[in-house]
Amino acid sequence: MTFSSGAIAGALLLAISLVMIAHAGYSAAEPRATYIRPTDLAFAKATHVATGNAPASYALPVEITAECLFGTLLSIAGAVLYAGDLQEVKMEREMGVRSMDLLLMCPSFRSVRHRGSNLFAPRK
């Protein structure tokens, strides 16, 4: 199997972006661990740190947010490059494989609770 230069570049971009996103996740968890310890949970609840109403000093740094967003955009670009060209789906080939009964089957329209259960139920 041969890879084009676009696929190799896409795989490289994907690997770099996954490392960036993992680093951003670790970097985001690290500051939380410094100000919320299990012994300080009562203090954290009292100061609204655990409820999401943290003061600005506890907010996530802009560098971590930017790294995460850049890693996400880089992963999208890498996935597009790695995927390659799209192939068209020909209806004739699909119709040759499947029958019309299979294509027109709609299981959601089937009703297993109909009036026959009331008509032919044993009388009490």
Side-chain angles (χ1 to χ4, degrees):
M1 188 162 139
T2 60
F3 291 105
S4 67
S5 61
I8 294 172
L12 186 63
L13 282 177
L14 274 173
I16 291 171
S17 67
L18 289 177
V19 168
M20 285 180 70
I21 292 172
H23 180 264
Y26 179 76
S27 298
E30 190 176 8
R32 280 189 75 82
T34 59
Y35 66 84
I36 295 181
R37 292 191 173 84
T39 57
D40 298 335
L41 191 58
F43 173 75
K45 286 182 180 178
T47 57
H48 306 289
V49 173
T51 59
N53 299 328
S57 62
Y58 294 139
L60 196 62
V62 177
E63 295 87 13
I64 295 174
T65 306
E67 182 181 7
C68 187
L69 290 176
F70 186 69
T72 303
L73 293 175
L74 205 63
S75 68
I76 291 171
V80 167
L81 285 174
Y82 186 75
D85 295 334
L86 297 176
Q87 298 175 356
E88 67 179 74
V89 178
K90 298 196 181 226
M91 190 65 174
E92 294 86 22
R93 188 178 339 144
E94 290 296 319
M95 290 300 290
V97 175
R98 299 182 179 150
S99 67
M100 283 304 286
D101 292 332
L102 184 65
L103 291 174
L104 296 176
M105 181 178 67
C106 298
S108 61
F109 290 126
R110 289 186 186 157
S111 175
V112 293
R113 292 191 46 93
H114 48 78
R115 63 181 170 202
S117 61
N118 291 331
L119 290 175
F120 301 111
R123 302 201 186 256
K124 294 182 182 180

